[in-house]
Amino acid sequence: MGKDKNPRRVADNEAMAKLRMLKTSPQKLNLVAGLIRGKKVEKALTDLTFSKKRIAIDVKKCLQSAIANAENNHGLDVDELVVAEAYVGKNLVMKRGRPRARGRFGRIHKPFAELTITVRQVEETA
């Protein structure tokens, strides 16, 4: 009499990981996500390890989570995984401010972003 199992949001040969509330702007995060789109996972991990961007550390954690989900939850082969999608979304924006000259108020926006990484297993053609 329990509830039915939820259908999968991704295909049978895919796995997904999502990171929310990343303290960076979506524009900056998208630059790092663009580095790994379409690459094999070991090459993407290497690129993120040696990237000079601060947010690359969090993107690497999300990619490692997607790889672990693929291996443990869906039984996919890690050596054949490719980063199928890496897309960025907006999250909340904290509004802060500073007093400025002549009684004015300078608005400061502190944006947050979210990242979704999907890895797909592709069979290598020899």
Side-chain angles (χ1 to χ4, degrees):
M1 281 303 295
K3 287 182 3 180
D4 291 336
K5 186 176 172 184
N6 286 335
R8 287 193 59 185
R9 284 183 247 155
V10 292
D12 289 337
N13 64 339
E14 291 181 347
M16 186 174 82
K18 194 172 228 181
L19 258 184
R20 293 189 173 100
M21 295 297 291
L22 287 168
K23 181 61 187 92
T24 187
S25 71
Q27 189 175 7
K28 291 177 185 176
L29 181 58
N30 197 33
L31 291 173
V32 179
L35 287 174
I36 64 171
R37 281 190 195 109
K39 292 185 178 177
K40 295 185 71 59
V41 291
E42 56 267 7
K43 174 75 171 125
L45 284 171
T46 306
D47 289 350
L48 290 172
T49 301
F50 295 106
S51 175
K52 293 189 177 197
K53 302 278 188 183
R54 174 191 63 88
I55 202 65
I57 297 166
D58 294 325
V59 175
K60 182 179 175 187
K61 284 182 186 177
C62 185
L63 179 58
Q64 287 171 333
S65 176
I67 294 168
N69 289 343
E71 184 179 16
N72 297 321
N73 300 345
H74 308 301
L76 302 178
D77 186 17
V78 177
D79 297 328
E80 297 178 352
L81 291 179
V82 172
V83 180
E85 296 174 344
Y87 55 90
V88 176
K90 288 168 68 173
N91 210 313
L92 71 96
V93 177
M94 291 195 305
K95 284 134 181 130
R96 300 292 182 259
R98 291 185 65 128
R100 306 301 289 171
R102 297 169 60 189
R104 296 194 178 144
F105 185 73
R107 285 185 302 193
I108 296 174
H109 296 288
K110 298 187 176 208
F112 285 77
E114 58 184 49
L115 172 69
T116 305
I117 295 179
T118 306
V119 292
R120 180 179 299 140
Q121 179 179 347
V122 291
E123 286 77 24
E124 294 181 9
T125 57

